[in-house]
Amino acid sequence: MYDFKENMSKPERLSGGHRMCAGCGAPVAVRGILRALKEEDQAMIGCATGCLEVSTFMYPYTSWKDSFIHNAFENASATVSGAEAAYNAMRRRGKIKKDVKFITFGGDGSSYDIGFQSLSGAMERGHDMVYVSYDNNAYMNTGIQRSSATPKYADTTTTPVGSDSNGKQQYKKNLTEIMVSHHIPYVAQTTFLTNMKDLHEKAEKAIYTKGPAFINVLAPCPRGWRYEASRLMEVTKLAVDTCVWPMFEVINGEWHLTYEPKKKLPVEEYLKVQGRFKHLFLPENRHLIDEIQAEVDKNWEELKRKCNR
């Protein structure tokens, strides 16, 4: 039984006063994930270079209450999996008795692209750790460049919209499904809705499931997506209700849909609140929205079949 009051009353493990932008989804994701930890448990946090790291750990100051390791884009998963292996070795020798949970946070670079090899290796080897991808759809920290998490037709600094381009030309990589193919015990996709129930429950399952676990959290970026900071929750709700970002989990290979909109909204409701898709609403580009809608509908129907819905 989910107890909202109990979860929200837990002490914060990411302190306020960090330098993340107002309206950024990443710190909301981190606070939600860490809130799933039992108060008596210690965590070892790994974080790849990116907005989250540079804004929460300015040596000698840190926003993190737990042990923290900063790594480059490409090796956060390798470092945390190595720390987990060392912990197990020391525990077998009786040098450590307390329980420690291992969690890695990474953005698009660490998760989808530059660090994908490291992530895949850690999951395949079976380390008892959780990898959390905070998916903000581009390389936001270095200037809003496209990544393989960037959706088709998004305007970024390396896929600029102009007379010869309608933005990124490739569809977004389905990283969550790729993680499922690693046959790990727990994989989930989520974001922020109402009382955070979905995020909190999945975080708890991931942290307290033995073995590797992966959570993909949609974490919008007001600078890169070009929405008003106060509209963070609205943007994530629209992503889910249009089925652009469906929420589901895969437990030991079994697919479960954890949220189904009462009324599936057209994808343009999600696109129109973001400046990066402004060009799609020119009369001559209507067919591009129709193309995105068709792809979203196809993916949604495939997901429902996997979940026996």
Side-chain angles (χ1 to χ4, degrees), residues 47-239:
C47 188
T49 297
C51 292
L52 181 62
E53 182 275 321
V54 301
S55 299
T56 60
F57 194 92
M58 295 72 67
Y59 182 81
Y61 305 105
T62 179
S63 299
W64 303 83
K65 301 295 180 68
D66 292 284
S67 301
F68 183 85
I69 301 178
H70 162 223
N71 277 106
F73 272 129
E74 64 272 15
N75 63 341
S77 299
T79 298
V80 174
S81 65
E84 184 264 354
Y87 163 78
N88 287 331
M90 295 179 74
R91 190 158 188 173
R92 286 194 298 269
R93 296 171 188 167
K95 294 184 177 181
I96 295 178
K97 298 187 183 300
K98 58 187 174 184
D99 288 330
V100 179
K101 302 300 180 184
F102 295 85
I103 306 172
T104 309
F105 291 97
D108 290 31
S110 175
S111 308
Y112 281 80
D113 296 333
I114 304 168
F116 175 75
Q117 180 181 9
S118 172
L119 167 60
S120 177
M123 296 294 102
E124 187 273 335
R125 290 191 300 271
H127 293 278
D128 189 7
M129 59 179 282
V130 181
Y131 187 96
V132 180
S133 162
Y134 65 95
D135 184 338
N136 56 23
N137 288 187
Y139 293 106
M140 299 305 182
N141 181 53
T142 52
I144 317 175
Q145 299 93 348
R146 62 88 82 190
S147 75
S148 63
T150 305
K152 193 170 187 179
Y153 300 131
D155 180 23
T156 75
T157 55
T158 50
T159 59
V161 171
S163 57
D164 296 321
S165 172
N166 287 312
K168 187 191 173 192
Q169 296 300 299
Q170 299 80 23
Y171 283 113
K172 177 186 176 75
K173 180 192 290 184
N174 193 331
L175 181 61
T176 311
E177 207 162 293
I178 293 171
M179 288 298 107
V180 174
S181 70
H182 285 67
H183 307 291
I184 59 179
Y186 189 77
V187 177
Q189 187 162 290
T190 186
T191 188
F192 330 123
L193 286 185
T194 57
N195 65 355
M196 304 291 220
K197 180 176 185 291
D198 194 85
L199 176 64
H200 291 165
E201 289 185 338
K202 287 173 178 172
E204 184 174 19
K205 289 177 186 177
I207 292 169
Y208 293 100
T209 292
K210 184 69 175 174
F214 174 85
I215 303 179
N216 208 355
V217 187
L218 185 67
C221 169
R223 288 281 294 112
W225 295 24
R226 301 203 289 279
Y227 63 85
E228 294 179 12
S230 61
R231 303 185 77 175
L232 169 63
M233 302 303 283
E234 178 187 355
V235 170
T236 54
K237 182 77 162 59
L238 286 169

